[in-house]
Amino acid sequence: QVQLVESGGGLVQAGGSLRLSCAAPESIFSRDAMGWYRQAPGKQRELVAAISSGGSPNYPSSVKGRFTISKDNAKNTVYLQMNSLKPEDTAVYYCASARLGFWSVDSVDSWGRGTQVTVSS
């Protein structure tokens, strides 16, 4: 029943890099905006990157300049390249799709199961 499938999480030292991948059905990928959320213990789930169906990316200030979202239309796959990782980036990262864009967490139509990213100091 899970339509979004993530991979690439793991353990990395501060300053290191990880690349997350998310495969989606073509029907979703070709129509919807795609994005990545994260949730750390005791914190609210927050959007860290989004990309429109047309390929326009957006980021919050907390990750701007360090994270890059991209997508490969031929593979129906969205990526999150994370560089210069900090311990505060530690969280479960979720792939998401939104037919009407990422106006809020309530706008999300589909979720992945999540993948753990742990950044050690």
Side-chain angles (χ1 to χ4, degrees):
Q1 297 299 313
V2 177
Q3 298 190 85
L4 307 181
V5 181
E6 302 128 324
S7 62
L11 175 65
V12 66
Q13 291 185 323
S17 299
L18 283 174
R19 188 194 194 202
L20 307 182
S21 300
C22 173
E26 183 180 10
S27 59
I28 291 176
F29 192 86
S30 64
R31 180 191 65 198
D32 298 358
M34 303 295 298
W36 293 90
Y37 280 80
R38 69 184 181 189
Q39 188 164 26
K43 295 184 178 180
Q44 294 184 334
R45 189 169 297 191
E46 64 172 340
L47 183 70
V48 296
I51 188 165
S52 71
S53 60
S56 179
N58 279 288
Y59 313 91
S61 59
S62 59
V63 307
K64 192 170 296 183
R66 299 189 298 119
F67 290 10
T68 302
I69 188 170
S70 62
K71 61 178 182 176
D72 186 333
N73 292 334
K75 296 181 178 180
N76 296 324
T77 300
V78 62
Y79 304 96
L80 184 67
Q81 179 67 46
M82 303 184 292
N83 299 326
S84 301
L85 283 163
K86 306 173 181 179
E88 48 263 48
D89 294 318
T90 296
V92 177
Y93 284 71
Y94 299 91
C95 184
S97 69
R99 287 171 291 177
L100 301 179
F102 292 95
W103 301 106
S104 74
V105 68
D106 296 323
S107 299
V108 173
D109 296 301
S110 301
W111 294 99
R113 289 175 173 170
T115 184
Q116 178 71 46
V117 172
T118 302
V119 184
S120 65
S121 59

